[in-house]
Amino acid sequence: MTKQLSQHTSATVETVETVDDLAKLANYSLMDTLNSDPDATTNGDDHRARQVFSGHYVPVKPTLIENPEYVAHSQRFFSELGFADSMAQSADFISLFSGDISQVPEPMRKVGWACGYALSIFGTEYIQQCPFRTGNGYGDGRAVSVLEAVIKGKRWEMQLKGGGRTPYCRGADGRAVLRSSVREFLAQEHMHALGVPTSRSLSLYVSKTETVQRPWYSEGSNSQDPDQMITEAVAISTRVASSFIRVGQLELFGRRARKQEHPHAMAELEQLMLHLVDREYADAIDPQLTNAEKVLVLAGEFRTRLTSLVSNWIRVGYCQGNFNSDNCAAGGFTLDYGPFGFCDVFNPQYQPWTGGGQHFAFLNQGVAAERNFLMFCTALSPLLASEPDYVDQLQQLVNGFSAEMQAKMEQMWAAKLGLGAFNAALFDELETLMLQTPVDYTLFFRELSALPDDIGALKKSFYRDLALAPAGLEQRWSAWLTQWQSLLDSTVVDSSEVGSTGDTNTQARSRDEISAQMKAVNPKYTLREWLLVPAYQQASVGNYAPVRELQAVMTQPYAEQSQQVEDKYYRTKASEFFGVGGCSHLSCSS
Ligand SMILES: Nc1ncnc2c1ncn2[C@@H]1O[C@H](COP(=O)(O)OP(=O)(O)OP(=O)(O)O)[C@@H](O)[C@H]1O
């Protein structure tokens, strides 16, 4: 059994001003309590694709990018961590977070780690067949964790994305290009500002000299074309989270335990489960429980987090794109910003990933989450083998997922509409109207949050002139608005009366309060792909100002910002951005 993880290091550092200060906070729980691959090298020079048969991690040294240049860092996250802003541009910080850990001060280590995981696609176990390996193994092919540290009483893991080859690289180069690094860097901090649980962004550095080739999209095609190679600069972005344990990681060890692949398989699964509890669920799970009891509480807690997460995604218009089990964080937050997108035109089938099909589409994400939850429970079930009652209880948790998901979705839709309770008829008609018009998802709900008297203002979100729409659409919109207003009015009182009843359960709200509540759940700005494209294009020619401007706007997504910002960013998607590869649809590892 693993011991409870300490949230304290011997050092306490109020403000981290240098890498020396940061190093003092190092505290490596994963490397110190889990198993290293017995076949691994000890010095971390393990950069060739190979099969990893056991152990929770492989010690790996990242491969630095040549001539790193500062692009951006998250001022907000730095401030939360107590990091001095100036550190982001200091030489030793740049070295460390562009992949050179050879000089880091002790007790920081000069070796990082990569983890293996398995993969299920929409609830079907995927068994990999490739020249390098056949079997369950998949893993961090280009993500290398370089530090775990306890900062202000909270444990954080810092992971380089694009930090070079690991044994899991499957013959690929281990690199991330600037384009995809800008996307992930901006999206993580945007999601955090939207109030959606997520991994965070620390820093982003680009190489001034090192490039790689990537396939691009030929005109009119919606998938990448190997004959259309483009050259792109490599970059390293550092993402930070309480852990990077994925559902697919539990699956790898669950599959090994189920098949008794080696003598330690069951023990390694149990260790990983306990490590997950310590890293992500320590507050929710009593350490005195038996391991089987912990599995049940863990599954219940994860279900709660996952259903909330997905309802939040849909609230803000986010589609993960590739919601396989390896892209599902076991801590219940958003992880892996690959072919993600924020929808412009409302469409339940919106799916930015060219390979995604309908199962990962916008409004199908609850079902995709349910499949990942099933795989989570399947992975842990070998730990309940001697407890048939607990197996039943775990199954009941799986059976109850869709009801919990539905309840969270209804609460979310009610909140977006400013209502205390979900009204199915009102919502169904709205969904039909949004599809038939069609509307811009973000603009529509934001305009509605101003409680308009008629549909005039809502037309700002429409992608079609209603005069050209099928007969009767305008009248149906007006009728819908009237019905919505009357539902709202049943809870509205004069603002002078609000709070004067002494009844804490009162539903009474002024119109201003309703509008403010709606604006707090309906963002004004979302990180649409057509905003990202010019930002990373400019970054590729050394102009980072648009990335930083986008970062400033998107880290205050609910705020009313300047008129200039509104004119530039609060708009429907222009017609030239529809049907364009790399903008309206994206490949995997985007
Ligand atoms: N250029 C690359 N070199 C090595 N491995 C890669 C590369 N691109 C993707 N991979 C690996 O392929 C797998 C699937 O890729 P995917 O795009 O989902 O991951 P990713 O964006 O690199 O990873 P993550 O889930 O860590 O954010 C992952 O295991 C990833 O590590």
Side-chain angles (χ1 to χ4, degrees):
M1 194 163 155
T2 53
K3 58 182 188 304
Q4 279 286 101
L5 296 180
S6 164
Q7 299 300 339
H8 301 285
T9 46
S10 48
T12 48
V13 177
E14 274 310 305
T15 307
V16 176
E17 289 179 351
T18 61
V19 169
D20 285 298
D21 294 339
L22 178 58
K24 288 182 196 141
L25 304 176
N27 187 306
Y28 294 85
S29 75
L30 189 144
M31 284 211 275
D32 288 349
T33 60
L34 296 184
N35 302 350
S36 173
D37 167 25
D39 298 333
T41 60
T42 47
N43 65 3
D45 286 333
D46 207 343
H47 299 126
R48 288 179 46 197
R50 65 175 176 86
Q51 177 99 8
V52 179
F53 296 100
S54 71
H56 298 101
Y57 69 92
V58 180
V60 188
K61 262 194 252 166
T63 309
L64 57 83
I65 55 172
E66 292 166 4
N67 298 315
E69 179 168 68
Y70 168 83
V71 177
H73 72 288
S74 169
Q75 290 95 339
R76 179 170 302 195
F77 192 41
F78 264 50
S79 151
E80 286 170 39
L81 295 174
F83 285 12
D85 232 24
S86 55
M87 199 165 58
Q89 298 194 57
S90 69
D92 50 357
F93 194 87
I94 294 178
S95 285
L96 164 53
F97 291 107
S98 61
D100 182 0
I101 63 170
S102 62
Q103 306 298 326
V104 292
E106 287 185 348
M108 233 190 117
R109 299 180 189 170
K110 294 180 172 52
V111 67
W113 66 99
C115 292
Y117 42 83
L119 157 69
S120 288
I121 302 173
F122 201 62
T124 301
E125 287 186 355
Y126 178 74
I127 306 293
Q128 187 163 22
Q129 310 285 344
C130 85
F132 300 101
R133 103 175 38 103
T134 303
N136 295 317
Y138 214 65
D140 294 323
R142 55 173 175 169
V144 182
S145 289
V146 290
L147 180 63
E148 243 189 80
V150 178
I151 304 168
K152 295 186 167 180
K154 187 169 160 44
R155 179 177 297 280
W156 293 102
E157 182 169 330
M158 302 191 174
Q159 186 170 77
L160 309 183
K161 178 105 174 241
R165 291 189 179 96
T166 77
Y168 304 105
C169 68
R170 292 178 289 145
D173 55 23
R175 288 306 192 202
V177 295
L178 179 61
R179 167 177 49 90
S180 59
S181 306
V182 164
R183 293 179 75 253
E184 178 158 338
F185 174 84
L186 291 175
Q188 287 177 132
E189 291 304 280
H190 178 52
M191 287 288 264
H192 177 72
L194 284 166
V196 183
T198 177
S199 51
R200 303 289 302 274
S201 304
L202 188 72
S203 56
L204 171 57
Y205 302 103
V206 65
S207 170
K208 284 190 279 185
T209 46
E210 190 182 335
T211 57
V212 289
Q213 299 260 303
R214 289 287 185 265
W216 195 241
Y217 310 80
S218 50
E219 212 173 310
S221 151
N222 72 349
S223 57
Q224 284 173 320
D225 179 350
D227 293 331
Q228 297 280 332
M229 298 302 280
I230 54 171
T231 301
E232 299 186 76
V234 300
I236 290 185
S237 59
T238 298
R239 58 185 177 187
V240 182
S242 38
S243 82
F244 287 98
I245 303 168
R246 303 153 190 258
V247 170
Q249 209 161 328
L250 292 163
E251 276 190 88
L252 173 63
F253 292 89
R255 290 186 201 178
R256 285 178 178 165
R258 208 172 64 209
K259 296 177 191 160
Q260 300 181 338
E261 274 184 18
H262 60 77
H264 318 296
M266 189 66 92
E268 290 201 330
L269 173 64
E270 187 176 84
Q271 278 177 291
L272 184 62
M273 181 277 289
L274 291 171
H275 188 72
L276 171 64
V277 169
D278 282 340
R279 295 285 292 275
E280 298 288 352
Y281 295 90
D283 292 344
I285 299 182
D286 181 351
Q288 306 301 326
L289 295 180
T290 64
N291 285 350
E293 287 167 339
K294 283 180 181 166
V295 167
L296 281 184
V297 184
L298 172 64
E301 290 290 328
F302 180 51
R303 193 179 84 172
T304 304
R305 290 192 195 177
L306 195 54
T307 48
S308 295
L309 178 70
V310 172
S311 64
N312 266 305
W313 283 357
I314 292 166
R315 173 175 67 79
V316 301
Y318 176 81
C319 183
Q320 206 273 0
N322 183 6
F323 201 33
N324 290 325
S325 65
D326 65 320
N327 293 331
C328 183
F333 52 86
T334 320
L335 178 68
D336 188 334
Y337 291 82
F340 74 87
F342 286 86
C343 69
D344 298 291
V345 177
F346 170 73
N347 176 3
Q349 303 302 334
Y350 166 66
Q351 161 57 286
W353 181 28
T354 50
Q358 293 196 348
H359 46 272
F360 296 137
F362 182 46
L363 287 193
N364 216 34
Q365 295 185 101
V367 182
E370 184 176 6
R371 300 297 170 98
N372 287 335
F373 183 66
L374 168 67
M375 301 325 285
F376 177 91
C377 293
T378 306
L380 295 177
S381 56
L383 299 175
L384 304 180
S386 57
E387 309 269 6
D389 285 356
Y390 286 18
V391 174
D392 284 351
Q393 287 181 49
L394 195 64
Q395 185 57 46
Q396 281 164 28
L397 284 169
V398 174
N399 297 346
F401 188 97
S402 64
E404 184 169 343
M405 190 71 248
Q406 179 67 18
K408 297 255 172 81
M409 289 293 291
E410 291 184 358
Q411 276 167 21
M412 181 275 296
W413 289 125
K416 275 182 90 66
L417 290 169
L419 300 172
F422 180 71
N423 182 306
L426 182 89
F427 180 74
D428 289 350
E429 174 65 354
L430 173 62
E431 194 178 4
T432 308
L433 288 169
M434 288 200 295
L435 265 171
Q436 287 177 352
T437 302
V439 307
D440 185 278
Y441 189 71
T442 306
L443 264 60
F444 174 78
F445 280 103
R446 187 67 181 197
E447 289 301 315
L448 196 69
S449 303
L451 312 189
D453 293 329
D454 57 48
I455 65 164
L458 297 178
K459 288 181 181 170
K460 185 177 173 63
S461 71
F462 291 0
Y463 278 93
R464 179 159 53 176
D465 183 345
L466 285 189
L468 306 173
L473 202 58
E474 179 138 15
Q475 289 78 353
R476 281 174 51 213
W477 267 116
S478 296
W480 181 87
L481 196 73
T482 305
Q483 198 201 347
W484 172 70
Q485 283 162 337
S486 70
L487 280 168
L488 273 190
D489 286 344
S490 62
T491 69
V492 172
V493 294
D494 188 278
S495 53
S496 60
E497 291 171 34
V498 174
S500 64
T501 61
D503 175 4
T504 50
N505 291 323
T506 184
Q507 289 286 305
R509 301 169 298 169
S510 71
R511 291 180 75 82
D512 286 350
E513 280 178 325
I514 294 174
S515 176
Q517 284 169 358
M518 287 178 69
K519 285 181 179 172
V521 293
N522 291 316
K524 179 146 186 169
Y525 300 105
T526 54
L527 189 59
R528 300 142 185 270
E529 199 61 32
W530 50 273
L531 296 173
L532 279 162
V533 173
Y536 66 64
Q537 281 176 343
Q538 282 299 305
S540 74
V541 291
N543 176 13
Y544 308 127
V547 168
R548 295 173 195 157
E549 181 179 304
L550 205 48
Q551 182 186 10
V553 172
M554 294 300 160
T555 48
Q556 318 168 62
Y558 297 102
E560 295 297 337
Q561 301 185 42
S562 69
Q563 191 60 48
Q564 213 185 352
V565 168
E566 177 159 336
D567 293 345
K568 190 166 170 189
Y569 295 98
Y570 189 61
R571 289 162 39 196
T572 51
K573 173 170 158 171
S575 55
E576 65 263 30
F577 297 123
F578 285 86
V580 180
C583 181
S584 55
H585 46 267
L586 301 144
S587 69
C588 190
S589 305
S590 283

